[in-house]
Amino acid sequence: MTPAIITAAICGAETTREMTPHLPITADELAEEAFRCHAAGAAVVHLHVRREDGSPSQDRALFQKAIDAIRARCDIIVQTSTGGAVGMTADERAQPLECGPEMASLNAGSLNFGDDVFLNPFPLVREFARRMREKKIVPELECYDAGHVDSCLWLQSLGVIDGPGHFDFVLGVRGGMAASEANLRFLISKLPAGATFNVAGIGRHQMAMAELSLQLGGHARCGLEDNIYLSKGVLAKGSYELVARVAELARSAGRAVASPSQARALLGIN
Ligand code: KMH
Ligand code: ZN
């Protein structure tokens, strides 16, 4: 079986210090958390950054500082967010692509996101994809709904994004597809031959979706961006505790845990 790539989503844009005191905010805190996640088995860190007051930002300088701090600690793959927070402009969101990440998220379509709307119109997707290709940044195709997979296949047929692609099924957002086994199996059935997939279950679905993905040959994402609890009512002390648990799930599924260099080979990162 292919080694399992664990992605640690350590910060996000919506989780707050009021929700959990364990959220990393400064560049040093983000680097320390990425290092702990790497030690626990993560090969990729999905990165957002914050201003000093904790508010979400896509500021290039803040990203550069965080990336430099992470790279000084370990060789984990840095996947910068181009999603940012709901309501940000495309120009704001694209800034981290200027920081030389190996990977970046590419959100494949729009959806209701709780009471907000997360806008990803095709012109934005095409422009982000163009910049990623120009900079040799490997996109992770963020799909919150089945139509987003179809959109990616259409963009592949137009040559806008390279196939077969690395997909991330984000399941359990209020407004997107629910986190269920039937939904995940359906999404996998839509993938082109040779595609790889990751699953990010939101909230209480995180571990169950990670386990299922690992059993089905996929990869898994966890961390405080998507879920703050280690078990019911018990806050995770950091994303690293969640990564350690997913690493156990991988081994139980008969999968080795991929190192960053194994993940680079699997994801086509040169
Ligand atoms: N914060 C969400 C609205 C991404 O990083 O690409 C979007 C998000 C996706 O987190
Ligand atoms: Zn994100």
Side-chain angles (χ1 to χ4, degrees):
M1 288 270 261
T2 318
I5 302 169
I6 302 176
T7 296
I10 61 177
C11 178
E14 288 80 27
T15 308
T16 65
R17 275 272 169 89
E18 285 67 47
M19 292 158 71
T20 172
H22 306 296
L23 185 76
I25 286 179
T26 66
D28 283 347
E29 289 167 355
L30 290 163
E32 176 62 22
E33 187 60 37
F35 175 75
R36 287 188 187 151
C37 289
H38 171 261
V44 178
V45 59
H46 170 77
L47 188 66
H48 289 249
V49 299
R50 305 293 180 100
R51 297 186 192 90
E52 257 177 47
D53 66 2
S55 60
S57 171
Q58 289 288 103
D59 180 71
R60 178 180 173 171
L62 286 176
F63 263 96
Q64 195 63 64
K65 201 171 169 197
I67 292 170
D68 291 347
I70 291 168
R71 289 196 174 140
R73 299 295 306 271
C74 61
D75 76 335
I76 195 164
I77 297 165
V78 176
Q79 177 197 96
T80 52
S81 169
T82 62
V86 166
M88 288 179 174
T89 66
D91 285 344
E92 248 180 308
R93 286 168 54 179
Q95 291 177 77
L97 298 178
E98 304 304 315
C99 299
E102 292 175 279
M103 283 184 95
S105 60
L106 180 60
N107 291 275
S110 305
L111 73 155
N112 285 340
F113 202 90
D115 288 347
D116 298 311
V117 181
F118 182 32
L119 284 174
N120 295 288
F122 278 125
L124 176 151
V125 181
R126 283 196 294 263
E127 176 58 16
F128 283 14
R130 189 191 66 74
R131 293 192 200 187
M132 288 183 205
R133 178 178 274 166
E134 183 182 86
K135 296 174 191 307
K136 298 194 174 11
I137 298 167
V138 172
E140 179 178 85
L141 307 170
E142 311 296 328
C143 297
Y144 305 78
D145 216 331
H148 297 163
V149 180
D150 292 316
S151 297
C152 290
L153 301 181
W154 179 65
L155 291 170
Q156 286 181 352
S157 76
L158 297 179
V160 173
I161 52 181
D162 295 325
H166 178 63
F167 291 75
D168 183 31
F169 301 133
V170 185
L171 300 180
V173 171
R174 197 152 46 83
M177 241 168 147
S180 74
E181 178 166 354
N183 283 348
L184 179 55
R185 287 184 184 275
F186 174 62
L187 290 167
I188 294 169
S189 76
K190 297 175 76 63
L191 293 179
T196 50
F197 69 93
N198 192 41
V199 180
I202 302 301
R204 64 193 170 84
H205 303 288
Q206 186 163 82
M207 287 301 143
M209 285 293 110
E211 184 171 27
L212 188 57
S213 178
L214 294 164
Q215 287 167 352
L216 296 174
H219 305 286
R221 167 170 137 173
C222 61
L224 300 186
E225 174 167 345
D226 303 333
N227 160 50
I228 59 174
Y229 293 106
L230 190 60
S231 55
K232 197 170 163 54
V234 180
L235 288 174
K237 293 197 184 70
S239 295
Y240 70 95
E241 285 196 332
L242 299 162
V243 170
R245 189 156 286 181
V246 172
E248 278 171 30
L249 295 175
R251 291 185 201 102
S252 303
R255 308 275 299 275
V257 174
S259 64
S261 56
Q262 287 174 315
R264 284 185 178 92
L266 290 166
L267 296 167
I269 296 173
N270 306 303

